[in-house]
Amino acid sequence: MPPEVRLSGTGILTERSSDATAGMATIHIINPNNHAIKLVEFDYTAQIPGSGSWRGRHAGGMVLAAGFDRTAELPIVLPASATTGSQVHISGSLHYLDTSTLAETLAEWGYRPTTSFSGRTTIQAPPVPAETSAETH
């Protein structure tokens, strides 16, 4: 069975310039299988209403144990007009490798299974770091 990919509904604004806005979208990946799977690569687009889309690729870089789920961050680039509260539509696919014997044989022959995902996330301001106060005597 393919893994399930869900957007968490929130993203974080990380950088802003006169040309673009960058951020991170949080996703959850769930492995419904009774064996581990290897997440290879995310291939996706991000778009705010009224603007063109940005295409991204991000390494999966993890093995997901049987029945487990994990959280990951996908980098996104948006137009400079994107602000806190902007709705971002993200859709794409996750390429993964199944670790079952049959799937490993198919992978050797070049078969790379994928699963699709799609959803919306709302861009939020980055968290404000907690200030530490040093007492002086």
Side-chain angles (χ1 to χ4, degrees):
M1 293 176 58
E4 186 177 334
V5 181
R6 296 181 191 160
L7 271 76
S8 73
T10 58
I12 300 293
L13 186 76
T14 57
E15 294 180 55
R16 179 181 297 285
S17 74
S18 59
D19 298 323
T21 301
M24 300 296 274
T26 304
I27 58 170
H28 299 282
I29 308 104
I30 302 160
N31 180 4
N33 298 293
N34 61 2
H35 55 274
I37 57 172
K38 180 179 181 181
L39 308 182
V40 178
E41 183 179 55
F42 294 92
D43 187 8
Y44 57 99
T45 60
Q47 180 179 22
I48 61 171
S51 71
S53 63
W54 175 82
R55 185 173 183 159
R57 294 174 76 184
H58 189 65
M62 68 177 84
V63 173
L64 205 56
F68 276 68
D69 64 273
R70 297 200 65 195
T71 300
E73 303 286 329
L74 292 180
I76 55 175
V77 176
L78 304 167
S81 61
T83 60
T84 299
S86 292
Q87 291 284 311
V88 182
H89 180 264
I90 299 173
S91 62
S93 58
L94 167 61
H95 304 275
Y96 65 97
L97 294 176
D98 193 317
T99 59
S100 68
T101 305
L102 175 60
E104 287 179 359
T105 301
L106 291 173
E108 289 174 10
W109 294 342
Y111 174 71
R112 301 286 189 257
T114 62
T115 188
S116 299
F117 61 93
S118 181
R120 293 193 183 280
T121 192
T122 303
I123 297 296
Q124 298 178 354
V128 177
E131 290 187 37
T132 58
S133 62
E135 292 184 29
T136 57
H137 296 300

